[in-house]
Amino acid sequence: MAETFDLDDFENPPPPPRYLYKYLSAERVGNVLEGGTVRFTPLMNTNDIFEVRSTFEKLAGPKFIAMLSEQMDNTVSEANVRDMIAEELKKYGLGFLPPDDAIKLVEQQTGQNLLTTLRNQMQSSVDTMLVPTFNDPKKIEDLLEKLGRELLCFSLSERMDVAPMWAHYADNNSGFVVAFDTAHEWLQRRKDGQKTRLQKVTYFDGKVEEPLADIQAALISKTTAWAYEREWRLYVKKDQVDRIVGDPADPIHLVDFPPDAVDRVILGPKTREETAERIRNALAARYPNARLVRALPNRANHTYDEVSE
């Protein structure tokens, strides 16, 4: 499971809002707006120390076991068993012998139904070997560590008017916010053409019984302390980034984004004029269709209003 897991394998029912927002500090004008790149961060390196945490009691719970049983029933079907026996007979030069005759011979010798026996043996292996192995706490911890190091995420917010976000991620209101258009292909598909779903983060503090009980809660979640972020994510793997810079011991993974994926850039209430001027120049040079606006605090409604610059 750990070798083949991919978040794109799972449906994410809620559609994203038309625009998602990236809060940024003033120093990020260079690499983001002038350079046209955004950073994808390994889950283990996000600002939430509990990002990679145990959110499920078992890896292989009732739903997982039921899924395996269904797959076994499909695999050990009468048609498949006949085909497998026919292949084995050919290997030993007995291809002339009908598979049904071989099945009857085995059942006469053992006194048991071959299909039932095979299914029982496979189910026993699942119950006594596979499930305990999957549910070993060390195996679960290893899986979480693997996902935490191999999956990189680009985090956005569904709101541009969250005061703590302006404070924590945008230089205490002196940074800026980039509004990305979720209808743009860059947010829909990867370069290899495969669909990339924007994943909505679930916020909860407990545990689900198993990942299949609630994929979002088990694998795309944070504790409720972070709910104010209203976060959505894009995920990539390390081999899908455009470049890696910085210290090899703590690399920075960068992905290029197309200029027309940007709808507008929002200056903070305290954004300095020199920062605003750099942003104006970047928009003129690279983003001719993007608007520049400023967020002003609306103290009556405890939110921010957007006004044209």
Side-chain angles (χ1 to χ4, degrees):
M1 183 172 180
E3 295 298 324
T4 60
F5 173 80
D6 193 324
L7 284 171
D8 284 346
D9 292 339
F10 301 99
E11 292 293 339
N12 182 24
R18 179 59 189 269
Y19 302 106
L20 289 174
Y21 303 92
K22 184 65 178 177
Y23 290 78
L24 295 158
S25 61
E27 65 183 14
R28 300 288 300 280
V29 172
N31 67 309
V32 175
L33 291 180
E34 295 172 347
T37 64
V38 290
R39 181 175 183 173
F40 278 68
T41 305
L43 297 183
M44 291 292 289
N45 295 347
T46 67
N47 58 356
D48 179 2
I49 195 65
F50 299 113
E51 174 75 50
V52 178
R53 70 195 197 283
S54 179
T55 52
F56 46 88
E57 299 289 352
K58 298 180 236 180
L59 190 56
K63 288 192 174 184
F64 183 81
I65 295 171
M67 181 186 70
L68 283 182
S69 297
E70 182 179 351
Q71 290 178 344
M72 285 190 301
D73 287 344
N74 293 333
T75 300
V76 190
S77 65
E78 291 185 12
N80 286 344
V81 169
R82 284 195 192 92
D83 291 343
M84 288 187 288
I85 290 176
E87 289 299 318
E88 290 298 314
L89 289 172
K90 288 179 184 177
K91 289 180 183 178
Y92 294 98
L94 300 173
F96 60 87
L97 184 65
D100 285 344
D101 290 350
I103 291 173
K104 288 177 182 178
L105 181 61
V106 171
E107 291 180 349
Q108 287 173 357
Q109 295 294 322
T110 62
Q112 296 178 325
N113 180 274
L114 181 59
L115 201 61
T116 301
T117 299
L118 289 174
R119 286 175 175 169
N120 288 341
Q121 288 176 347
M122 291 183 70
Q123 188 63 54
S124 177
S125 297
V126 168
D127 294 339
T128 61
M129 298 173 58
L130 190 61
V131 170
T133 299
F134 271 41
N135 289 336
D136 182 339
K138 183 63 168 60
K139 293 289 184 184
I140 293 176
E141 182 180 347
D142 290 345
L143 171 63
L144 293 173
E145 289 274 341
K146 178 182 177 66
L147 294 178
R149 298 192 186 285
E150 293 187 356
L151 277 179
L152 315 177
C153 72
F154 176 51
S155 299
L156 301 124
S157 175
E158 64 184 37
R159 298 279 295 273
M160 54 67 60
D161 58 356
V162 182
M165 297 288 282
W166 277 104
H168 298 162
Y169 300 114
D171 277 347
N172 193 23
N173 291 273
S174 63
F176 62 102
V177 167
V178 178
F180 286 95
D181 185 349
T182 63
H184 193 281
E185 187 178 21
W186 184 72
L187 290 158
Q188 300 293 325
R189 295 184 181 276
R190 294 195 298 261
K191 289 184 176 179
D192 57 13
Q194 296 181 27
K195 187 173 183 180
T196 300
R197 299 180 181 89
L198 280 160
Q199 301 281 359
K200 183 178 176 65
V201 172
T202 294
Y203 300 97
F204 84 118
D205 296 321
K207 290 186 178 183
V208 295
E209 184 174 16
E210 62 178 319
L212 288 182
D214 189 335
I215 290 293
Q216 295 293 122
L219 300 172
I220 311 170
S221 69
K222 300 173 79 169
T223 59
T224 55
W226 298 90
Y228 68 90
E229 293 185 336
R230 296 175 171 88
E231 187 175 352
W232 288 71
R233 288 178 171 177
L234 279 180
Y235 290 92
V236 299
K237 295 179 181 177
K238 291 181 180 179
D239 61 356
Q240 295 169 330
V241 303
D242 290 306
R243 65 188 63 82
I244 301 175
V245 300
D247 185 347
D250 187 23
I252 296 172
H253 302 83
L254 298 175
V255 174
D256 298 332
F257 64 88
D260 55 350
V262 176
D263 176 76
R264 63 195 187 282
V265 175
I266 307 166
L267 303 176
K270 299 180 181 178
T271 301
R272 295 181 177 87
E273 180 52 35
E274 57 265 33
T275 301
E277 186 61 22
R278 282 186 68 185
I279 292 174
R280 289 189 192 96
N281 292 336
L283 293 187
R286 295 178 60 97
Y287 312 89
N289 298 322
R291 296 178 292 120
L292 183 64
V293 299
R294 187 179 291 270
L296 295 180
N298 185 326
R299 291 179 172 80
N301 298 323
H302 306 152
T303 184
Y304 291 75
D305 295 329
E306 291 185 41
V307 297
S308 298
E309 273 289 293

